[in-house]
Every structure is written in C-alpha cells, then in structure tokens.
Amino acid sequence: MRALVGRAGSPLPVLVDVPDPHPGPGEVVIATTAATVNPIDVRIADGELREAFGLAGDVGLGWDFSGIVKAVSDDVTGVSVGQRVAALTGNPADPLRAHAELVTVPAGSVAPIPEGMSDAAAASVALNAPTAAMIVDLLGAGAGRSLLVTGAAGAVGGYVLPLAREAGWRVTGLARTTDREFVTTTGADLVTEIEPRAYDAVADAAGLQATAIDAVVDGGAFVGVLPIAPVAAQRGIEPTDVFVQADGVRLAELLRRGHTGDLAVRVAEEVPFSEFDRAYALVGQGGLRGRVVLTF
C-alpha cells in the first residue's frame, strides 16, 4: 500500500510503499476513503514540530480519516468488516497514520458514520470536534460567565463556540470581520482584537498563548491546545492544555451532530490522494474556511 510520511530533511511529505497491515489484538484495519490534512500535518512534514514532539526518523502523517473496515481482530466486537467508519490516529510518532491507503487503529477509536454523511465530511470531524469538546470539558459549566474563543472561525474554535454556549458560557469569538456571519450564527459575539483583562476565561484554539492569556481576568481560566509550549501561570491563572484522545463513543455523537447540522462541518476542498502535494500546499497557505480532505 501507499502512505505519506514525514522525513527529516524533507520539507514535503514523502510517498512510500509499505506492506499491507494486519490487525493486532483489539485493532481494526480500515481502507481509507478520505483523510483530512490539518495544519499540524504540514508543520510535522516540514520539520517545524519534529523537535517539539520528539520525532526521529520517518513518521506517519494524518490524524482524522474515514473509510471501510477491511479486517478486525478476533477479540473485537461492535465493529464489522464492510462498515463505514471514522476514526482518529492519535500518536504523532507512529510510523504509519491516517494519510495511507490502509490504517490500523484500536477498535475503541472507531465510530460509525451516519447514513447520508459524506466520507469527506466525516473525515474532517475526528480531530477537531473532540478537541473542542475536551476544551469545554476543562472549562466546565459557564453559569453566564464570559469566554473568549480565539480562532473562532477555525477548525477547533468553530466547534468550541456552540459547545461552550451549550455549557452556559457567554461566548465571544476572536476572528476576522469576514467571518462575522459564521461566528454570530452560533450565538456568539465577534471581536477582531483582544481586550486585556476582559474575560472570565479564554479557549485559545488559535494557539496565541501569551497574547491570549492577557485577555483573562485575574484568577480566571485559560485552556490551550497542544501543550508542547505551555503558557506560564500568572495572576492567579493556572493554564491547562488539551491533547486529543481517541474516543469512539464521543466521536459517534459528534458525527451525528455534524450530520444533522447541529455542529458546522466545513470541507473547503477535496483533493485526490495522488495530488497530496497540492493539498499540503493549500493548508500551508492558510486562510481556508474549512478543511482540505484527501480522497482515496
């Protein structure tokens, strides 16, 4: 089978041929139909995040994907050969990940795709929506308190907006004026600049870190993503960070809500796997309102 890897010294993903995988205990093998290219894939492939994650040698690329179950271990129940599923590959050090024709994952990371939901849409959910849900879990009940979401129109922030509103937060999104409709449709307010000491909490989906924590009142809450460069505690604020964990049960619910339109699932462009270099270039350029998805 063919797969993409990040290789030290190469600024672009490298296409390799490797043997077809077989499921180990508790695992399933999925024939990939769609896989999202996320900004973190670009930054691992070009080497920017290799040291931060402690990566050496060739490493797999890709996090969230969808496909058809091809094989299951004898000890797996609840997942069937031929089933349409979405899943997450969570360890950036794994040698093969979601940008491959066949992907092996723990059965517990797999969720069925709702009937009528496209493979590309399903593939775009499994990294960003669970990350947003984990952020809101850490924030807890809002009880009417104020929350600023950075990157509010982005991959993670776009999911934080409605989930935080449901948890009782009074939400403001930091985004461009061109994203006003998307942000305000969720019931959030829009700002384009950070006001210091103005919010009870910040969900830093954009990774602004030190800049974003300035918006929190003394003793407030700050939740960021990817704790590879954590923000220092200050002014009675103890920052926390999330790193997504595969959870098939939660993913199934988020897929259902994405399919019904309760959560906004946005695919900007579908690109054939053979044109992976173009897909990575699109994501690297930034500015997209939606995900770029490789199709197989």
Side-chain angles (χ1 to χ4, degrees):
M1 72 162 187
R2 298 177 301 167
L4 294 180
V5 299
R7 178 169 292 168
S10 173
L12 298 173
V14 177
L15 185 66
V16 297
D17 287 303
V18 296
D20 290 358
H22 300 280
E27 292 181 335
V28 302
V29 175
I30 299 168
T32 310
T33 52
T36 305
V37 181
N38 292 284
I40 191 171
D41 296 312
V42 176
R43 295 174 69 191
I44 289 175
D46 68 15
E48 184 179 346
L49 287 179
R50 287 182 70 91
E51 183 177 354
F53 279 115
L55 303 178
D58 288 359
V59 294
L61 296 170
W63 297 71
D64 38 357
F65 70 105
S66 61
I68 307 296
V69 177
K70 181 178 181 181
V72 301
S73 174
D74 291 340
D75 62 345
V76 168
T77 59
V79 182
S80 305
V81 171
Q83 187 176 13
R84 289 179 69 232
V85 297
L88 176 73
T89 60
N91 184 357
D94 285 345
L96 296 174
R97 303 184 68 220
H99 292 171
E101 292 174 319
L102 296 170
V103 184
T104 303
V105 292
S109 71
V110 170
I113 299 174
E115 179 147 2
M117 189 177 199
S118 73
D119 291 339
S124 73
V125 171
L127 174 63
N128 299 308
T131 299
M134 290 175 66
I135 289 172
V136 176
D137 286 349
L138 284 173
L139 289 167
R145 290 176 294 161
S146 59
L147 171 70
L148 177 69
V149 180
T150 71
V156 175
Y159 289 118
V160 174
L161 295 176
L163 294 175
R165 286 264 301 167
E166 290 175 5
W169 289 92
R170 182 162 43 90
V171 181
T172 298
L174 177 69
R176 297 168 295 189
T177 54
T178 51
D179 292 314
R180 179 179 299 279
E181 181 178 358
F182 174 80
V183 172
T184 57
T185 297
T186 70
D189 295 324
L190 175 77
V191 295
T192 58
E193 296 181 356
I194 290 179
E195 181 181 352
R197 316 291 199 274
Y199 301 92
D200 295 306
V202 166
D204 186 25
L208 302 182
Q209 298 180 302
T211 302
I213 202 170
D214 283 346
V216 183
V217 299
D218 292 354
F222 177 92
V223 181
V225 295
L226 287 178
I228 52 180
V231 180
Q234 55 189 276
R235 299 186 288 109
I237 306 165
E238 294 291 340
T240 56
D241 300 275
V242 299
F243 189 87
V244 69
Q245 302 296 316
D247 182 341
V249 174
R250 173 164 255 182
L251 175 57
E253 174 62 14
L254 293 168
L255 286 167
R256 183 193 67 77
R257 297 188 64 183
H259 182 50
T260 62
D262 193 23
L263 299 175
V265 177
R266 296 173 294 163
V267 175
E269 187 163 351
E270 299 179 31
V271 179
F273 182 58
S274 60
E275 300 176 25
F276 65 86
D277 51 349
R278 180 166 71 88
Y280 270 70
L282 284 170
V283 176
Q285 291 164 9
L288 295 170
R289 294 183 177 88
R291 311 279 63 78
V292 173
V293 179
L294 293 170
T295 56
F296 290 71

